[in-house]
Amino acid sequence: MGNYVSSHLNANSEKRGKKRDVSEVQPEEEKVQEQNFQTPKRRKLKSTTKYIYQTLFLNGENSDVTIIAMGREWPLHKVYLCQCGYFASMFSGSWRESEQSVINMDIPDDNIDEEALKIAFGSLYRDDVSIKPANVVSALAAATLLQLEGLICQCAEIMKETISAKTACWYYGAAQMYGQQGVAKKSIQWLEKHVMTMQTTTLLREISIDLMKLLVSSPNLYVMQVEMDVYTMLKKWMFLLCTPTWSGSSKQVAEEADSYFRSTEPPTVYFLETEKGQQYVEAFQCLRFQHLVNDITSTQVLERDRIVPESWLYPWYKCQWHHMLKMEQGLDLGPKDIGDEIFYQTAVRYGRVLKTEKEYCWRWTGYHFGVDLLVTFTNGLLILKRNTYSQECQSSISLQAKRYLAFRVTVSSFDTLGHTEYVKSSGIKYLSLGKDEETVVLVLDRHVTFPLCISLNILYFTPNMDMIRKAQAAMNFDAASLVRSTDSVETASQTGSTSSSNSSIHRDMEEEEEIQGTADNAQGTGLAPNGQQSAPNTGV
């Protein structure tokens, strides 16, 4: 029995195995402990740059130079100031300031204020800056004066990210002043996309004459809806600049502009021929008049407004009449290969906003040289159709077997600031369409969000560039003649004033001019998918 128990215990002890020797465990644990001992543990201490900024810049401790600027003393440090070109050259050369501990700093730029200087000086003591959009132009001005390239770049990036209706014109002017062409380009691109859909009195008044010239002449302008709407926008813009004290609403400005300009005195004078109107001549010369004179309603508005001289329009009537006769007699079936530059200069610009995702079908008004172009949007597809027999059309239709078109269509959607979230463009394409033939010109991605802005540049005819250049030259000649004529009148007036003064003849003359006006808008005509004519298109 004792033998049985003994053997059973021995068997169980074999099954349980041998207990590991302590000497075998220690090396492994020591290895882990050593690893843990050598691994650094991160704990955030007070930042060195934060300490430097607080102690040296804000508190001014151990300052070796005091800058007096903007009515304030800035206790600073030469070693930090030398990071910017302005002070580096001052302290390293033989200038007297290099030996001075107090320096009076002249600030010649009115855009620079105390907050801007604080941002600029403070950037020398830290590796990041926080700038409000409201202060970014002042900060850019200060950074430019002090030659702080890093801060200049950061200001430029902030400006690009915060372009909006409130800042676009402001940023553009600052970018031009401080050589930030990237910001200027972004500002122009934003305005090209939104100026015609956000025609508030505030925005229009902020657009300078040079900036308006760039926008009106741009092939990338999102025209809403037709070229005549560009003229209407120009009319409202000019009215607002001519009447800086007018304080009506954006809805009232069109009617007021009509009354203003249609009351120009004397009745035989056009507003652009007056002294007050001369500064706007070049902006109006950027209009694409060859497309304005294609629509009877538009020509009637031009005549009633008495803004644009008749002598400007006659060469365009001749030019378009020539294009129409060539197409009517089969000598021109449309553009086939005219080059990008000519296309961008001469194509008519259309646009429309699609507010929600549904099916749309429409045409834009005006004379289109025998092509009744229907535009359809359905299921993410943008389709152009040359309507001949399938839908009723009130204008004349070409029965040529083939008609050729050159076009570029761009579709975009934007965020709340107006920055582009989605964009897709066809690029310049050449298209031949048979009778009632349609073709898909753009396929949108599935993730696209509404509303969508559609911008279409299109040419129905092969442009005669000689006649177009002559029409443009005629406008320029008239404008130059007007300036010479005005100068002659002013000279004669000055001479007359001198004679009157010498003969002691005193005359009191008061001249008051009140001019008022409104915009007539050529709108697109909507078509329901079944071909029935729907309510007129009112744009955005």
Side-chain angles (χ1 to χ4, degrees), residues 256-275:
E256 290 295 319
D258 276 352
S259 300
Y260 183 93
F261 293 114
R262 292 175 186 179
S263 61
T264 301
E265 295 293 341
T268 54
V269 174
Y270 295 89
F271 185 77
L272 293 179
E273 294 177 330
T274 67
E275 184 177 354

Side-chain angles (χ1 to χ4, degrees), residues 222-237:
Y222 277 36
V223 171
M224 300 291 163
Q225 296 223 8
V226 294
E227 289 287 351
M228 190 60 186
D229 292 294
V230 184
Y231 167 83
T232 302
M233 178 187 69
L234 263 186
K235 179 168 57 174
K236 293 190 289 185
W237 164 76

Side-chain angles (χ1 to χ4, degrees), residues 62-176:
N62 301 320
S63 168
D64 59 356
V65 63
T66 299
I67 305 297
I68 300 176
M70 308 298 299
R72 173 182 165 179
E73 293 185 357
W74 306 80
L76 303 172
H77 307 79
K78 289 184 179 181
V79 68
Y80 286 99
L81 289 177
C82 284
Q83 295 176 83
C84 67
Y86 182 92
F87 288 106
S89 58
M90 179 185 292
F91 295 147
S92 62
S94 57
W95 303 100
R96 64 181 181 182
E97 287 86 356
S98 61
E99 304 296 331
Q100 294 176 346
S101 59
V102 178
I103 298 172
N104 285 286
M105 183 178 177
D106 182 37
I107 308 294
D109 191 339
D110 292 337
N111 284 329
I112 301 175
D113 55 19
E114 185 177 330
E115 179 64 22
L117 272 187
K118 181 180 179 181
I119 292 170
F121 287 146
S123 70
L124 300 172
Y125 291 80
R126 63 196 307 179
D127 53 9
D128 66 319
V129 292
S130 177
I131 307 173
K132 297 177 182 178
N135 298 329
V136 70
V137 170
S138 297
L140 174 63
T144 303
L145 175 66
L146 298 176
Q147 302 169 41
L148 290 168
E149 292 302 326
L151 184 57
I152 289 173
C153 292
Q154 290 189 53
C155 289
E157 289 305 311
I158 291 171
M159 292 168 77
K160 290 176 185 178
E161 293 169 5
T162 57
I163 293 173
S164 65
K166 190 173 183 177
T167 62
C169 297
W170 183 39
Y171 284 175
Y172 174 79
Q176 291 291 93

